[in-house]
Amino acid sequence: MSDRPEHPAYPVGLRLTGRRVVVLGGGTVAQRRLPALLAAGADVLLIAPSATPSVEAMAEAGELRWERRAYRPGDLDGAWYAVVATDDPEANAAASAEAEERRVWCVRSDDAEAATAWTPATGRSEGVTVAVLTGRDPRRSAAVRDAVVEGLRDGTLAAPRHRTRGAGVALVGGGPGDPDLITVRGRRLLAEADVVIADRLGPRDLLDELPPHVEVIDAAKIPYGRAMAQEAINDALVERAKAGKFVVRLKGGDPFVFGRGMEEAQALAEAGIPVTVVPGISSSISVPGAAGIPVTHRGVAHEFTVVSGHVAPDDPRSLVDWEALARLRGTLVMLMAVERIGAIARVLVEHGRDPGTPVAVVQEGTMAAQRRVDATLATVAEAVEAQDVRPPAVIVVGEVVGVGPAAPAAR
Ligand SMILES: C[S@@+](CC[C@H](N)C(=O)[O-])C[C@H]1O[C@@H](n2cnc3c(N)ncnc32)[C@H](O)[C@@H]1O
């Protein structure tokens, strides 16, 4: 125990670029501390007889220098900062005594009381570093850190920038529908929007959270018709951005997977409006996954093909080579195919795919109403009709349908 009075630690941001930091011990503590030290540009010397595979990988990649041995007095020569985290208490005590003598700030994994520095719980979000110290309650530090970082990321913690976001458009992939499945960046941009133009699919619940001054435009695209034509959407994007607004175009899944995202980006580029594209989690992978179906599985399927079933196979406008798809052995994932599944299944079987191939239809994946209907290529049309399956649904064809633990038997 220290005989010094209990004062709070003095917080400071160390600028470590090019400065020697000595890390003693190559275990999990080092593994957790090293990435931030390396990100800060420190000249890291690791001294440890052994290290975890990830620490080894950092050394192999040349990110730090590693001397494979135990601590020796004198190791802190030239150091500005030391992390003492070996599993030998005597070595830790000796190293921290050396640090004290050399006036090197030193954190100790085994004895916070004896340390001259404490590592705060840290997090980063868009250029802001959050560092929290709570004395001797690291869980509380982590909880406070998480709350602040999450608030900054999702925009619920109001921390206005001095530099306000200029006019422009962000094409944001909103994910398959569950509001937790949008990216952190997408969510933050949504919180900064003046105008949001949203699709029918995607995380519509998030629209309720927008403040009243945000203009929300519904670009709902209903199958076989359009509540708002694509041109009208493009015009609305251009017009609002030209009026000086920051517009988020919130799309279902990923903007560039059957999402007409590039058409919108092109229209904006032609109008000279800056566009940011934020990728999203596509329903083509996440909806099967949410229903317990991996699109690939070792030894079962080493390929997956994502196809639009928007146009019937015998329609001359179809750009899909269904005959070639019928010859593939891997997984076939179909979007917008519910209404044409009978014709599609027929073509696949006619051209060689086994009629007994398992098929799963997942309706409203990741949402409260999610349901999965299992069938085979021979029976899927009948099953879809009998069970009144409606869009939006993703249809998965292939042996992967049966690999999950909870997969019901094919009907
Ligand atoms: C116009 S496409 C857009 C795809 C989107 N860009 C993506 O990456 O997921 C719409 C189709 O995606 C599929 N889809 C999107 N969200 C879905 C969901 N939550 N559940 C099932 N299918 C979904 C359906 O096949 C739907 O007809």
Side-chain angles (χ1 to χ4, degrees), residues 175-178 199-202 221 223 251-260 280-287 334-339 362-367 370 390-395:
D178 177 337
D199 277 350
R200 185 174 62 88
L201 295 178
K221 294 177 183 174
K251 303 180 76 72
D254 182 273
F256 290 163
V257 177
F258 306 133
R260 306 188 71 165
I281 297 181
S282 175
S283 65
S284 53
I285 299 173
S286 59
V287 166
M334 293 183 280
L335 273 55
M336 299 177 281
V338 172
E339 288 93 340
V362 186
Q363 181 179 333
E364 294 191 58
T366 78
M367 292 183 280
Q370 172 177 313
R390 291 161 191 251
V394 170
I395 303 180

Side-chain angles (χ1 to χ4, degrees), residues 196-215:
V196 177
I197 305 187
D199 277 350
R200 185 174 62 88
L201 295 178
R204 294 193 63 96
D205 290 0
L206 292 177
L207 302 177
D208 287 347
E209 294 175 13
L210 296 170
H213 71 268
V214 178
E215 183 189 8

Side-chain angles (χ1 to χ4, degrees), residues 348-365:
L348 292 174
V349 171
E350 265 168 29
H351 292 93
R353 193 101 197 211
D354 181 346
T357 310
V359 178
V361 185
V362 186
Q363 181 179 333
E364 294 191 58

Side-chain angles (χ1 to χ4, degrees), residues 7 19 146 207 218 266 274 285-286 298 366:
H7 290 127
R19 300 202 157 103
D146 290 346
L207 302 177
D218 193 345
Q266 284 165 339
I285 299 173
S286 59
R298 192 160 60 92
T366 78

